[in-house]
Amino acid sequence: MTETAIPTDVESAVLEACRRAKLASRALATATTTVKNDALHAMADALVAQGARIVEANAKDLERGRANGMSPGLLDRLALDEGRIATIAEALRYVATLPDPVGEVKRGSTLPNGIRLIQKAVPMGVVGMIYEARPNVTVDAAGLSLKSGNAAVLRGGSAAASSNEVIVEVLQDALEGVGLPRDAVQSIDAYGREGARVLMNARGLVDVLVPRGGRDLIQTVVRESTVPAIETGEGNCHVYLDASAPLDRAAAIVLNSKTHRVGVCNAAETLLVHKDAADYLPVILEQLHEAGVTIHADDAAADLAPANVPTVAATEEDWATEYLSLDLAVKVVDSMDEAIAHIARYSTGHTEAIVTNDIDAAQHFVAHIDSAAVMVNASTRFTDGGEFGLGAEIGISTQKLHARGPMGLGELTTTTWVAYGEGHIRG
Amino acid sequence: MTETAIPTDVESAVLEACRRAKLASRALATATTTVKNDALHAMADALVAQGARIVEANAKDLERGRANGMSPGLLDRLALDEGRIATIAEALRYVATLPDPVGEVKRGSTLPNGIRLIQKAVPMGVVGMIYEARPNVTVDAAGLSLKSGNAAVLRGGSAAASSNEVIVEVLQDALEGVGLPRDAVQSIDAYGREGARVLMNARGLVDVLVPRGGRDLIQTVVRESTVPAIETGEGNCHVYLDASAPLDRAAAIVLNSKTHRVGVCNAAETLLVHKDAADYLPVILEQLHEAGVTIHADDAAADLAPANVPTVAATEEDWATEYLSLDLAVKVVDSMDEAIAHIARYSTGHTEAIVTNDIDAAQHFVAHIDSAAVMVNASTRFTDGGEFGLGAEIGISTQKLHARGPMGLGELTTTTWVAYGEGHIRG
C-alpha cells in the first residue's frame, strides 16, 4: 500500500460528522412521510430563493476550474444558473410525490407457537455518497436519502466545493425550518481525498456507500472501502443478433442501443452477430456509419462491411472497453453459445440484449446470461429506474449483493424483523 | 499493512479454482429443482456409504489437533463418527425438502410502452465460505449453496483439512453421479491462510463471501475482503424491562434469553431495567444466580441484589462484551430512552427484547431500535432461521446490506430484470 497517513484532525472531523449523521438518522427514521415531504418542498423553495447566492459560489468553482484547465465538458457539468437550479429544485418536488419506502411490510406470518412476526423496511441509517464535481448530485443525493429516511454524508468533487458548501447550508436551513436535524445532510468536501478515505472506513457509523461517477472512482471505493459499498454504473453492454432476427427490428435495436445517447452506462458497446444473420451486417454497418459510429470489427465483420464503410480492426482491448462514445465493437459468432461465452468473459454485468424471433433461443439466452438486465427484442437503453417505473434512480447496480440493476428509493432501505409474543420463551 | 506477499503458485491455484467454480455455476444456475434435489440425496447417500473413510481422515485431524494442544471443546466440534455423519447427511435430505428459491418472480409489470418486465431470483453464482474447523459446516455450506444454485468454494480451518478433503471428494463424486459438475463444490484448505486471502480478493470470480465463525474471523473477512461479504453472527443482545412489565413474564424472558443456551449469538448479554421495575431485580437476580449466572452489576443493580447473590462491578468493557457464557451485565436506567441510547452505543445490531405491557412503550422501543430483530415480550432466542420458518439458516446477518437477521436459502440469491419487447427502442 502506498497510502500516506491521514492527518488526525481530518480523521476526527470526518468521524465526528458521521457520528452526528448517525444521531440525526434516528430522527429521520421515525419522521413521518408528511414531514419528509414538507422538508423536500422546503429544500426546493430554499434553493430557488437562494439561487443568486448559489450561482455566486458556483462562479468561484468555475473560475478555479478554468484556471486549472478543466475541460469544457466538465465545466458544463459543474455550471449552475438560476434555470438549472429551478430544474434541480423541481426534482426534489418530484421525489416528494413518490411512495415512501419506509415501513413497507415485506413478509409476515404467525409462527406455530403464536408469535406474530413481520419483516418491514427501515432506513439504512447513514448513506455515504462519493461523486464527482456535479452540484446537482449533491441535491439529488440529499433528497433521495431524506425521502428514504437516511442521513447523508456527501463527498462531491473538490472542484465543486464552493457550490456544495452553500447548497448544503441552504438545505440544512430548510431541514431546520421543518423541525428536522441539520446534521441529516452534511458535506465533507472540506477534508479532500483524505476525508473521503476516512468516510470509506467509517464502518459502524456509515451503513452504505454509494459511489457515483466514472470507473476509477467506483473501483477505488470498492477496493478501499470497509463500509459496504454498492458498485454502480459500469456498462459494457452487448447486443446479440440471433439467426432468426428480422432485419428491420435488428437494425433499429442496434442503432438505438448504440446511438440514442452514447455517454451513458446502458448504451451498447459490442454487437455480436450469429453467422446465419451475417447478411444483415452490410445494411446495419452502413446505418451505423451514417450515424457517425466508428466500427471496430473482427475479420468476419470487416469482410462484410460495404466499400464505403471504413472499419478498424478490433483488438482484445476493444471487447473489454466501455467506449461511452460513437464507437462499437462488432464480432461474428458461430453460435449463440459463443456469444454467451463472449459476454461472460467481457461484460460488466449491466445489460445485454438479444434480437430474435425464436422463443427457445430467447429463453436460452435469458437463462445463460448473468447480468443485471436482459432485454429480449428491446434496446439496452431501457435499463433505467424511470423506464422501469421505480421513480427516482440512485444508480444502476452491477453487483449482486443487496441491489442489482436500477436502484430506486426502496434500495436505500434495509429491513428489520419484529416479533410480538405474549411472554414466549424457547423450550 | 504487515501482510506478506502471497506465493504466486497459491494465488494461481486458488484463482483457478474460483474460475472453475464460476464455470460450474452456470450449469447449476440452470439445473432444475429435481436435479438439485437428486444431488442432495446422492450426496447424503455417499457420505453415509463412505463413512468409514471419512472417520479415518477425521482421526488424522484429531490426532494432529491433540498434538497441537487443541482444547477439548474444539476437538469435540472437529470430531466425526458414523452417527454424526448420519445426522449431517440427514440435514442434506432436509434441504432437499425446502422450496427452491431460484426463479421466484419478485416484481413484474407491463410498462406504459408495452414492455413486459419481471424481476426474478437467480443464483449469486459463486459463494465463498470461510469458517472454522467444523467438518459439518463443509457439508452444510455445500448443500445450501447447491440448493440455491450456487457453486461453493470452501475454506475450512486447516485443523479439519484431512476431513474436508475426503468429504469434498465424496460430494464431488455424488455430483458427478447426477450429471452436475464436480467443480460446483471445491475446497481450498490446501492453500492455508494465504489461499483464504486470495479468495477474499477474487472479486469478479466470487460473488459473495459468507464468513462463519468467531468475531476475529468475521472481522478479518470484513476488513480484508474486496469480494462483497456478509457480516454474521456477532450478538451483544439486550433485554429491557419496562416499568409496566409483569414480574413473572419478565423473569421468564430474562432467564430464557440468558440461560437457554449460552454459547449462541442470540443469547442475551445485558439486562437493562427501568428504575420503576427495579423492585423486580431481587427476584430476577436470585433466579439468575440459582441458574449459575455471574452478575456484572452497575451500582444501582448491585444495591438491589439479595445478600446471598454476589455481584461483580460492571465496567465499561462489560457493556460491550458478548460473553457467550453464564455472565450477564445488569444496569438500572432512568428511562426507556436511556435504555435505547445504551443499546445504540453497545449493541452489535443483532436482537434486542422489550418486556412491557404498555402498547405505546412497545411501539416506541420498536421504532427506535436499530437492530436486525426486535422482540416484544419474547425471548431473544427466537431470532433463528428455523424459528422464523425460513427452513435452513446460512447465518444471521448483523449488517444492513442485502440481508439482515436470519438468512435462508433466498438470501443466497440475487435478482435479474428480464424485459420482453417487440422491437422496442427508446424515443
Side-chain angles (χ1 to χ4, degrees), chain A residues 349-352 369-374 383 388 396-399 404-406, chain B residues 415-418:
Chain A
H350 189 297
T351 300
E352 329 300 340
I369 289 296
D370 187 25
S371 294
V374 184
T383 303
F388 278 10
I396 296 183
S397 165
T398 52
Q399 73 177 36
R404 200 175 189 207
Chain B
T415 57
T416 194
W417 292 93
V418 186

Side-chain angles (χ1 to χ4, degrees), chain A residues 198-403:
Chain A
V198 178
L199 180 67
M200 287 190 273
N201 289 291
R203 195 176 169 98
L205 291 174
V206 178
D207 296 289
V208 61
L209 260 183
V210 185
R212 289 173 66 165
R215 183 186 151 82
D216 287 352
L217 182 149
I218 288 162
Q219 291 305 318
T220 301
V221 169
V222 162
R223 202 173 52 241
E224 298 193 8
S225 182
T226 56
V227 171
I230 295 181
E231 192 173 356
T232 60
E234 239 189 293
N236 184 14
C237 303
H238 297 73
V239 176
Y240 167 65
L241 302 189
D242 188 39
S244 68
L247 173 59
D248 54 344
R249 183 177 280 188
I253 288 175
V254 172
L255 265 282
N256 190 259
S257 297
K258 178 68 256 180
T259 67
H260 181 252
R261 231 181 119 188
V262 295
V264 290
C265 60
N266 58 14
E269 308 292 7
T270 295
L271 169 64
L272 301 170
V273 184
H274 192 285
K275 67 179 188 318
D276 294 349
D279 52 347
Y280 296 169
L281 263 180
V283 177
I284 293 175
L285 294 181
E286 177 129 28
Q287 289 183 18
L288 285 164
H289 176 63
E290 278 164 18
V293 176
T294 301
I295 313 289
H296 303 255
D298 75 342
D299 290 348
D303 287 348
L304 290 157
N308 64 323
V309 175
T311 63
V312 294
T315 63
E316 176 69 16
E317 204 188 330
D318 281 297
W319 309 128
T321 300
E322 183 184 9
Y323 296 114
L324 297 172
S325 61
L326 281 170
D327 290 82
L328 182 70
V330 183
K331 184 183 177 73
V332 176
V333 292
D334 285 340
S335 65
M336 190 195 295
D337 284 335
E338 188 186 340
I340 289 168
H342 180 99
I343 291 169
R345 175 151 184 202
Y346 295 106
S347 170
T348 53
H350 189 297
T351 300
E352 329 300 340
I354 181 173
V355 189
T356 185
N357 200 36
D358 180 328
I359 196 166
D360 282 353
Q363 169 56 22
H364 185 83
F365 189 80
V366 168
H368 288 85
I369 289 296
D370 187 25
S371 294
V374 184
M375 300 286 155
V376 178
N377 295 328
S379 168
T380 57
R381 288 278 294 128
F382 285 108
T383 303
D384 174 276
E387 293 291 328
F388 278 10
L390 304 182
E393 178 182 284
I394 287 106
I396 296 183
S397 165
T398 52
Q399 73 177 36
K400 295 180 182 175
L401 218 63
H402 186 69

Side-chain angles (χ1 to χ4, degrees), chain A residues 107-129:
Chain A
R107 286 187 273 189
S109 64
T110 299
L111 302 180
N113 59 15
I115 284 179
R116 288 158 292 128
L117 181 70
I118 60 164
Q119 183 189 34
K120 64 174 187 172
V122 294
M124 284 280 182
V126 178
V127 175
M129 296 252 187

